[in-house]
């Protein structure tokens, strides 16, 4: 089975965890001052990430490269086959890992660990081994978990399969996982924050709408990622309604998601999608992979080239960490072009190793890239 992350440094954090976690039984809780950035992920996730050969990917239903939900028995079947299909790295990196995951969790962890911006999660996990792993993994990175609810039941899991070219196929299993419900969200969750980070998902639409309503009442700006081309394709009308509400301040889309968003229009290209998003959002960003990104803020449009010679091994988390860097730029008041450049640096840092968590040596690589481009470096606490 896939190796677990090391727990050796966690003991010293246990007493702090006892003060930062909120239990579902209305027991003892302590809520510190609100983080600057809060991420809503109704289901806490643990990612099982492995570099595998194409024969395993051929056995899995659904589009390769996308994200499609599966049942628990299908997840168990995939995980049971992984070791027989492992592709080892040429370096010392392990070919498989298990870490706290989910798009929003990746972005929030990056905000704290790489940029020193106080950030927290609004989520729910089960009181099981996977839930404990999620808690320890996120808290070790310094993420505020005072808004996490622990419930009886199981924690969500996702198989993240990476091919030889670094492309990832995601198969989340959420059907039996505990979940934060819309009626559990309250104004105290968001009070004092500046940004709320969301990922579009139809199954979480009620939670998303409730969180947005509360955010606007509290003067909190909303950032949303479009999740996957399948999500946009299958639930496009609900997404369009969300965008047209005018409550999404910042929207991220990759090229595939952007094309699905405007499918049926006379022009289906990233530039047209960017213009569509910018009609409804103050900031709009379309990432273009190796071709960089385009972004728009009011009447300003910028195009930023991608960093070359990345030595990429896994695309998992590239968009999530791009969002971390872009949001850091916004928080620091940087120009739109610089926000994109920081996002390019942070997105590049995560693809250099397996999984959606940036290794320390790759943060150092990012800082060197930022310094070379004359970008504002974060002030991190030792």
């Amino acid at each position: 089975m896939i190796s677990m992350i090391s727990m050796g440094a966690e003991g010293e954090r246990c007493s702090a965890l006892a003060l930062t976690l909120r239990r579902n039984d209305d027991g003892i809780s302590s809520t510190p001052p609100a983080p600057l950035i809060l991420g809503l992920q109704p289901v806490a996730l643990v990612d099982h990430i492995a570099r595998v050969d194409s024969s395993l990917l051929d056995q899995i239903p659904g589009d390769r490269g996308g994200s499609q939900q599966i049942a628990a028995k299908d997840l168990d079947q995939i995980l049971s086959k992984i070791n027989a299909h492992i592709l080892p790295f040429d370096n010392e990196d392990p070919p498989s890992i298990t870490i706290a995951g989910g798009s929003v969790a990746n972005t929030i962890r990056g905000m704290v660990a790489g940029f020193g911006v106080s950030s927290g999660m609004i989520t729910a996990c089960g009181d099981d081994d996977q839930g404990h792993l999620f808690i320890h993994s996120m808290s070790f990175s310094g993420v505020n978990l005072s808004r996490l609810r622990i419930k009886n039941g199981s924690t969500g899991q996702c198989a993240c399969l990476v091919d030889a070219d670094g492309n990832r196929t995601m198969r989340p299993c959420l059907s039996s996982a505990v979940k934060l419900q819309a009626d559990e969200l309250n104004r105290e969750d968001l009070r004092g924050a500046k940004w709320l980070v969301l990922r579009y998902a139809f199954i979480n639409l009620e939670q998303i709408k409730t969180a947005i309503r509360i955010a606007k009442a509290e003067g909190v700006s909303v950032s949303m990622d479009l999740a996957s081309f399948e999500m946009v394709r299958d639930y496009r009308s609900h997404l369009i309604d969300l965008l047209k509400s005018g409550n999404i301040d910042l929207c991220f889309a990759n090229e595939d998601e952007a094309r699905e968003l405007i499918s049926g229009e006379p022009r289906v290209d990233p530039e047209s999608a960017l213009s569509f998003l910018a009609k409804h959002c103050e900031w709009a960003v379309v990432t273009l992979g190796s071709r960089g990104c385009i972004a728009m803020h009011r009447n300003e449009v910028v195009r930023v080239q991608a960093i070359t010679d990345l030595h990429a091994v896994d695309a998992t988390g590239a968009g999530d960490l791009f969002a971390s860097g872009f949001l850091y730029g916004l928080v620091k008041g940087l120009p739109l072009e610089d926000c994109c450049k920081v996002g390019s640096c942070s997105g590049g840092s995560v693809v250099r190793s397996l999984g959606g968590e940036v290794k320390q040596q790759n943060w150092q690589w990012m800082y060197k890239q930022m310094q070379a481009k004359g970008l504002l470096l974060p002030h991190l606490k030792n």
Side-chain angles (χ1 to χ4, degrees):
M1 191 57 66
I2 298 177
S3 61
M4 304 285 277
I5 62 170
S6 172
M7 295 293 181
E10 293 169 359
E12 64 194 60
R13 296 180 180 270
C14 289
S15 59
L17 280 173
L19 293 176
T20 59
L21 300 182
R22 179 184 301 177
R23 293 202 63 88
N24 191 50
D25 57 9
D26 295 323
I28 298 174
S29 67
S30 176
T31 305
L36 203 62
I37 313 287
L38 284 168
L40 174 69
Q41 186 172 300
V43 178
L45 270 179
V46 168
D47 283 345
H48 304 283
I49 309 162
R51 190 168 182 260
V52 298
D53 59 42
S54 59
S55 64
L56 177 58
L57 295 171
D58 291 338
Q59 300 174 37
I60 299 172
D63 295 325
R64 186 183 293 195
S67 177
Q68 182 174 311
Q69 289 198 42
I70 58 174
K73 62 180 180 59
D74 297 321
L75 176 68
D76 291 340
Q77 189 175 33
I78 292 172
L79 296 181
S80 70
K81 294 180 178 180
I82 281 179
N83 283 343
H85 295 271
I86 286 289
L87 285 179
F89 287 110
D90 295 332
N91 55 29
E92 296 180 355
D93 288 344
S96 62
I97 56 173
T98 296
I99 58 173
S103 176
V104 172
N106 291 339
T107 297
I108 293 299
R109 181 170 50 207
M111 295 295 305
V112 180
F115 294 102
V117 176
S118 63
S119 305
M121 291 290 295
I122 306 171
T123 186
C125 71
D127 191 10
D128 59 357
D129 289 344
Q130 306 296 343
H132 299 158
L133 189 152
F134 180 89
I135 290 168
H136 285 290
S137 178
M138 295 297 284
S139 63
F140 186 78
S141 296
V143 175
N144 183 304
L145 295 180
S146 63
R147 292 156 184 79
L148 178 146
R149 281 75 159 175
I150 304 173
K151 301 186 176 186
N152 294 326
S154 59
T155 302
Q157 300 182 66
C158 181
C160 308
L161 307 177
V162 183
D163 65 19
D165 296 323
N167 301 312
R168 88 285 184 275
T169 298
M170 317 287 277
R171 292 296 179 264
C173 176
L174 308 177
S175 57
S176 61
V178 301
K179 186 174 185 177
L180 184 68
Q181 301 300 326
D183 60 8
E184 295 178 89
L185 293 166
N186 56 66
R187 296 185 69 153
E188 285 70 31
D189 285 323
L190 289 165
R191 186 161 292 152
K194 297 299 181 184
W195 279 94
L196 172 66
V197 176
L198 305 168
R199 185 175 196 249
Y200 178 63
F202 179 73
I203 60 170
N204 296 328
L205 193 57
E206 187 179 358
Q207 290 89 332
I208 288 171
K209 288 181 175 180
T210 300
I212 291 173
R213 176 178 54 77
I214 295 173
K216 292 304 169 180
E218 290 293 325
V220 177
S221 298
V222 176
S223 168
M224 186 172 73
D225 177 88
L226 296 195
S228 70
F229 65 86
E230 297 102 328
M231 189 64 67
V232 178
R233 178 190 64 202
D234 297 341
Y235 303 104
R236 181 175 177 271
S237 62
H238 299 279
L239 172 59
I240 297 295
D241 289 343
L242 266 184
L243 293 170
K244 287 186 175 180
S245 72
N247 289 326
I248 308 300
D249 300 283
L250 164 62
C251 189
F252 295 101
N254 66 28
E255 188 168 3
D256 292 335
E257 295 155 3
R259 291 183 185 279
E260 288 290 349
L261 180 67
I262 58 169
S263 61
E265 296 295 321
R267 289 184 57 192
V268 181
D269 54 39
E271 291 77 14
S272 298
L274 183 72
S275 297
F276 176 84
L277 287 171
K279 288 179 182 178
H280 308 294
C281 309
E282 188 169 356
W283 293 273
V285 183
V286 177
T287 57
L288 305 172
S290 62
R291 304 197 319 280
C293 71
I294 50 178
M296 189 169 181
H297 172 51
R298 296 173 183 164
N299 294 322
E300 180 185 10
V301 180
V302 300
R303 179 181 293 269
V304 170
Q305 298 300 313
I307 298 174
T308 57
D309 195 27
L310 283 174
H311 302 290
V313 300
D314 176 16
T316 303
D320 307 333
L321 269 296
F322 180 97
S324 299
F326 191 95
L327 280 164
Y328 163 79
L330 287 186
V331 167
K332 296 298 182 180
L334 301 186
L336 180 63
E337 184 173 357
D338 285 359
C339 290
C340 292
K341 288 180 178 178
V342 178
S344 179
C345 292
S346 53
S349 69
V350 75
V351 304
R352 293 165 56 85
S353 59
L354 194 66
E357 182 175 16
V358 181
K359 293 186 174 182
Q360 187 57 43
Q361 64 265 33
N362 291 330
W363 284 131
Q364 296 303 319
W365 174 90
M366 183 192 76
Y367 301 143
K368 290 179 180 178
Q369 294 289 327
M370 290 177 64
Q371 188 170 31
K373 297 176 186 298
L375 300 169
L376 178 67
L377 291 171
H379 298 289
L380 299 174
K381 297 178 181 179
N382 295 325

